[in-house]
Amino acid sequence: MALISLTLKHAKKYWTFIVAVLVLQLLSTIATLWLPSLNAQIIDKGIAVGDTDFIWRTGGIMLLAAFGQLIVAVGAVYFGARTAMGVGRDLRREVYRKVDSLSTLEATKFGAGTLITRGTNDVQQVQMLVLMTLNFMVSAPIMMIGGIVMALREDAGLSWLVWVSVAVLAVIVSLLVWRLLPLFRVMQDKVDAINGVLREQIMGIRVVRAFVREPFETKRYDVANREITDVSLKVGNIFVMMFPIIMMVLHLATAAVLWFGGYRVEAGDIQVGSLTAFLQYLMQILMAVMMGVFMTMMIPRAVVCAERIRELLDTESSQSFPDSETVASPAAGQIKFENVTFGFPGAEKPVIADASFVAEPGKTTAIIGSTGAGKTVLLNLMLRLYDPQEGSITIDGAPVDALTRAQLARTVSLVPQRPYLFGGTIASNLRFGRTDANDAELWEALRVAQGEDFVREKELGLEEPVSQGGTNVSGGQRQRLSIARALVAKPLVYLFDDSFSALDVATDARLRAALPDATEGATTIIVAQRVSTITEADQILVMEGGEIVGRGTHDELLATNEVYQEIVRSQLEEAEAA
Ligand code: M5T
Ligand code: MG
């Protein structure tokens, strides 16, 4: 079972704490069980016969026992909490590492929402169960059995009362729990649902506003919200009944003990003190039963969560990176594709079909082609965001999958088509690829990326805060920052995925003029929309439907390649029309 294997695996490390919890709880329970019998003695041997000395002495012992119980109970909770939180932390870390190791394909298949829930909420449920187990699962049975033994020692004649009240309470609470469980399961689903709706709306808030979809989205949210409210109300109703019913059972049991016990005291079968102790033991037993039942109520929920975590942890990443460097780090940065074919799992047509080309260091390779031609996927293959089904991709002769993550990251920098910035500052984002870059290097990169002016205008300059995803800067600014980020890293290979299209023609030209100096000696691969961006390139690859249908310089392609001619013609027409 996932729950047991997961928790055991992580709890092992804390065995000393767990032993401490067990010992402390045992002590605490023994003390708790001892107190009523001391109390009984005070009544029967002290008060009843007027032995003040005995009262003082036993009272003192009681005080000590109570104080000792307090201390060990605190200790037990402390170590229990340390263990549970530790297990939670380790589990969260394992989930995080797993998510980190998943390839892009598996991560997208799970989806960000459920990955986040599994790493936070689900782990928390498991952690909660560990905490509860350590706190109650040990003490509840001891308390119950010990309580029964002690109660019978005080008065065996009333034992039937113990059995009856335990049975009644157990049946009632179990019935309620049995009604609660399915509701809890539904509730988890509804929480997932409302999270999903909320998440999508926040992510898409600009689109929602632009298309005035608020009424529709609000309705969608209201539905999810009402569903969760309905379930919560049902749960609440059961809880509302639960406590009065439990209290009623406890009070009835008390009344019964006093009623039947009274007769026995009258008949001289037991003493008053024993009866008091019996009553206290009965309460302890019933409490233990209740705790036990509540505990079992938590288990199914934690089981579901543990299974969800297990499913994630058992997912083998379809990609693996070598842990240590087995081949020398590339020194030049020559990229070579040989008959590379890649398709998304389940799709019938490959997205990249039999692609072969070489991008030389110090040269610029441009890729042009209509939308959906496979340009982005081609770049992503170099970074191993996907692995091809056939063919080989090498850097300086070394297969990309022989390089460690760090080697690959040091060698290749990507300016993604949809740039993403991280929460922090402009400087922290620019240093993403090389943490030790100094401010002068950052400014230099910004100058090349044509981002210098707008950063200078910021009040805090390089220290200007950037929000998660980079949503507080404009699209064009985000693109320039992401170009600068790649430049700061100083890799051997630069991949620009359509990075210049958001720039106006003049800025585009300035950037292209500054770029060769900054990227000198490096392999530069540029995906472009505008022919004007790439006329100077040493080599242009024309892509269509996942295939490379033409290669050569601008002039060569203009003379021979029909697809290229078509692209040039359509862009000329646009320019003329404008
Ligand atoms: C090439 C398909 C897409 C297109 C083809 C990222 C992604 C792409 N595709 C999928 O099926 N699943 C995916 O997760 O692959 O896509 P591309 O390489 O992104 O195209 P592009 O960069 O040449 O286009 P553009 O618009 O950026 O110029 O058929 O459906
Ligand atoms: Mg693209």
Side-chain angles (χ1 to χ4, degrees):
M1 209 160 90
L3 181 63
I4 296 175
S5 68
L6 269 186
T7 44
L8 280 189
K9 178 176 160 210
H10 286 284
K12 248 189 284 170
K13 220 170 99 185
Y14 301 97
W15 69 271
T16 40
F17 283 179
I18 295 175
V19 170
V21 171
L22 296 186
V23 172
L24 291 174
Q25 283 210 343
L26 192 65
L27 290 176
S28 150
T29 315
I30 289 174
T32 313
L33 288 171
W34 193 27
L35 287 172
S37 96
L38 285 174
N39 194 26
Q41 286 179 21
I42 289 186
I43 296 174
D44 294 342
K45 296 187 189 149
I47 298 174
V49 293
D51 185 345
T52 325
D53 245 19
F54 182 82
I55 297 179
W56 276 111
R57 225 172 332 115
T58 318
I61 297 175
M62 260 184 97
L63 210 59
L64 280 180
F67 192 64
Q69 193 268 341
L70 183 77
I71 291 178
V72 286
V74 168
V77 172
Y78 173 78
F79 286 116
R82 285 281 301 260
T83 309
M85 299 308 139
V87 169
R89 179 196 52 202
D90 298 348
L91 200 54
R92 248 189 318 268
R93 181 155 44 197
E94 197 184 350
V95 169
Y96 175 78
R97 297 261 156 86
K98 178 48 105 180
V99 172
D100 196 39
S101 80
L102 287 184
S103 76
T104 339
L105 286 177
E106 284 113 28
T108 350
K109 208 160 70 195
F110 272 106
T114 181
L115 287 179
I116 293 172
T117 320
R118 285 172 211 228
T120 50
N121 189 357
D122 290 359
V123 171
Q124 206 181 343
Q125 297 292 339
V126 173
Q127 170 180 303
M128 190 69 122
L129 187 78
V130 174
L131 184 70
M132 289 301 176
T133 307
L134 288 173
N135 278 348
F136 297 127
M137 265 211 174
V138 190
S139 55
I142 306 178
M143 184 80 100
M144 190 166 126
I145 295 166
I148 291 177
V149 170
M150 295 298 282
L152 297 191
R153 253 189 41 178
E154 295 295 341
D155 185 13
L158 283 177
S159 65
W160 62 273
L161 258 177
V162 175
W163 309 127
V164 170
S165 43
V166 165
V168 169
L169 186 70
V171 167
I172 289 178
V173 179
S174 301
L175 275 178
L176 292 174
V177 166
W178 181 67
R179 292 219 35 207
L180 272 176
L181 277 184
L183 291 179
F184 272 144
R185 227 160 285 156
V186 177
M187 197 139 96
Q188 284 289 90
D189 285 351
K190 298 298 174 204
V191 170
D192 263 356
I194 206 164
N195 278 347
V197 174
L198 205 54
R199 204 185 125 76
E200 195 175 5
Q201 283 168 10
I202 295 171
M203 303 273 283
I205 191 156
R206 285 161 209 233
V207 183
V208 172
R209 297 270 153 85
F211 286 88
V212 203
R213 291 289 279 177
E214 281 103 332
F216 176 80
E217 292 296 328
T218 311
K219 208 177 283 155
R220 206 154 73 99
Y221 181 82
D222 283 346
V223 170
N225 198 4
R226 198 168 43 241
E227 283 174 350
I228 202 169
T229 312
D230 287 347
V231 190
S232 308
L233 274 179
K234 278 187 195 149
V235 170
N237 285 341
I238 295 180
F239 268 108
V240 162
M241 288 182 5
M242 184 175 280
F243 286 99
I245 290 180
I246 289 172
M247 290 320 285
M248 198 178 72
V249 173
L250 293 189
H251 289 316
L252 283 179
T254 309
V257 168
L258 293 177
W259 177 273
F260 293 105
Y263 283 118
R264 290 177 62 79
V265 172
E266 213 174 44
D269 291 340
I270 55 166
Q271 290 184 285
V272 178
S274 286
L275 187 63
T276 329
F278 184 88
L279 188 58
Q280 285 174 349
Y281 285 129
L282 185 62
M283 290 302 126
Q284 287 179 357
I285 296 166
L286 294 183
M287 283 298 174
V289 172
M290 248 163 56
M291 280 185 322
V293 179
F294 277 126
M295 281 289 321
T296 33
M297 177 171 91
M298 291 189 60
I299 294 176
R301 203 171 176 185
V303 165
V304 174
C305 293
E307 272 159 10
R308 281 160 54 110
I309 298 173
R310 178 87 283 163
E311 182 198 4
L312 171 59
L313 293 180
D314 283 347
T315 306
E316 281 297 324
S317 179
S318 59
Q319 283 186 325
S320 65
F321 285 83
D323 294 327
S324 58
E325 300 191 1
T326 48
V327 296
S329 297
Q334 183 210 50
I335 300 259
K336 190 168 184 185
F337 272 55
E338 273 175 306
N339 308 103
V340 171
T341 296
F342 168 79
F344 286 98
E348 44 198 86
K349 229 178 128 267
V351 174
I352 302 290
D354 200 25
S356 301
F357 69 91
V358 181
E360 296 289 353
K363 299 255 165 80
T364 299
T365 300
I367 304 174
I368 196 165
S370 54
T371 176
K375 306 180 294 290
T376 298
V377 172
L378 194 77
L379 294 196
N380 289 347
L381 285 169
M382 297 179 208
L383 276 168
R384 288 199 69 200
L385 294 178
Y386 316 112
D387 282 339
Q389 279 89 20
E390 283 165 45
S392 75
I393 305 171
T394 55
I395 304 182
D396 292 347
V400 276
D401 49 15
L403 299 172
T404 65
R405 252 173 213 258
Q407 279 181 313
L408 195 57
R410 247 183 286 133
T411 312
V412 185
S413 274
L414 169 73
V415 180
Q417 188 165 20
R418 279 184 301 168
Y420 190 91
L421 301 178
F422 287 80
T425 62
I426 289 183
S428 72
N429 271 288
L430 293 185
R431 290 201 176 95
F432 217 68
R434 198 158 56 86
T435 40
D436 59 355
N438 61 36
D439 280 7
E441 288 172 300
L442 302 190
W443 282 116
E444 172 59 17
L446 283 170
R447 188 186 63 77
V448 176
Q450 308 301 311
E452 192 182 8
D453 292 346
F454 89 84
V455 177
R456 287 231 189 271
E457 275 164 27
K458 299 273 181 203
E459 204 181 320
L460 298 172
L462 286 173
E463 295 310 316
E464 188 75 13
V466 171
S467 60
Q468 231 178 58
T471 42
N472 64 340
V473 297
S474 80
Q477 291 172 341
R478 209 179 305 153
Q479 199 157 46
R480 290 168 209 213
L481 288 176
S482 119
I483 294 172
R485 172 174 64 190
L487 291 170
V488 169
K490 289 203 168 59
L492 297 174
V493 182
Y494 289 93
L495 308 177
F496 295 101
D497 191 353
D498 209 358
S499 308
F500 310 134
S501 49
L503 310 175
D504 58 89
V505 179
T507 317
D508 180 7
R510 272 206 303 279
L511 198 154
R512 273 184 296 115
L515 212 48
D517 277 340
T519 63
E520 209 184 344
T523 311
T524 309
I525 301 182
I526 298 178
V527 169
Q529 299 281 350
R530 278 198 293 260
V531 175
S532 64
T533 310
I534 58 169
T535 44
E536 314 276 296
D538 301 287
Q539 155 181 247
I540 299 171
L541 306 176
V542 185
M543 285 192 74
E544 198 181 49
E547 285 175 61
I548 299 177
V549 295
R551 68 188 74 208
T553 61
H554 174 70
D555 292 335
E556 287 165 8
L557 288 169
L558 208 52
T560 59
N561 190 280
E562 271 180 44
V563 181
Y564 194 72
Q565 288 164 351
E566 180 53 39
I567 296 172
V568 173
R569 192 167 337 129
S570 68
Q571 293 193 357
L572 275 180
E573 275 164 20
E574 264 173 44
E576 272 161 20

